[in-house]
Amino acid sequence: MSIERIHTKTRMSRIVKHNGVIYLCGQVCEDATQNITVQTQTMLAKVDDLLTEAGSDKAHILSATIYIKDMQYFSEMNAVWDAWVPEGHAPARACVEAKMARDALLVEISVIAAQKL
């Protein structure tokens, strides 16, 4: 089975496709100076764009792992998430508190999705 890597750099590929499954590298917000709501919205917009490029969409997400800087932001992040996920298409999901790569980042997500047929 072939593996397709898209937007590959030295350390990682933004998208990896294998056997009808799409793996996205961790996605963060556009502007880390913004609050958790805006950071979550722009992070999920990036996920939308990458999934479209890979031949999928948010209704085909199988699993999502969300890393949040502080659980104090959990309900605000979930409000954005709940509005974004199509009804009846909630993926398997984990959310953990984690130290971020940059101090201003409040949230990051890693996604696995199925390709649309």
Side-chain angles (χ1 to χ4, degrees):
M1 300 287 164
S2 69
I3 298 172
E4 181 181 0
R5 300 174 198 281
I6 303 170
H7 304 298
T8 300
K9 301 196 181 206
T10 303
R11 190 170 295 138
M12 67 182 156
S13 298
R14 292 189 76 194
I15 302 168
V16 176
K17 295 165 66 172
H18 177 65
N19 258 2
V21 179
I22 299 162
Y23 303 84
L24 301 184
C25 70
Q27 297 301 307
V28 296
C29 63
E30 287 293 326
D31 181 357
T33 66
Q34 299 296 315
N35 65 27
I36 187 67
T37 298
V38 175
Q39 285 197 28
T40 304
Q41 289 168 336
T42 61
M43 172 190 75
L44 294 175
K46 288 169 74 175
V47 169
D48 278 330
D49 291 345
L50 289 170
L51 287 174
T52 297
E53 181 177 354
S56 191
D57 60 28
K58 60 188 170 187
H60 288 79
I61 295 176
L62 304 171
S63 176
T65 303
I66 300 171
Y67 306 93
I68 193 165
K69 181 176 183 173
D70 190 312
M71 282 298 174
Q72 72 175 335
Y73 303 120
F74 188 69
S75 63
E76 293 167 271
M77 180 275 299
N78 273 329
V80 176
W81 172 265
D82 292 344
W84 180 76
V85 173
E87 186 174 339
H89 295 277
R93 189 187 105 163
C95 182
V96 297
E97 186 174 282
K99 184 172 177 73
M100 297 288 132
R102 294 179 312 195
D103 196 48
L105 291 172
L106 303 177
V107 63
E108 181 173 346
I109 189 168
S110 181
V111 170
I112 300 170
Q115 280 188 277
K116 292 194 289 188
L117 299 176

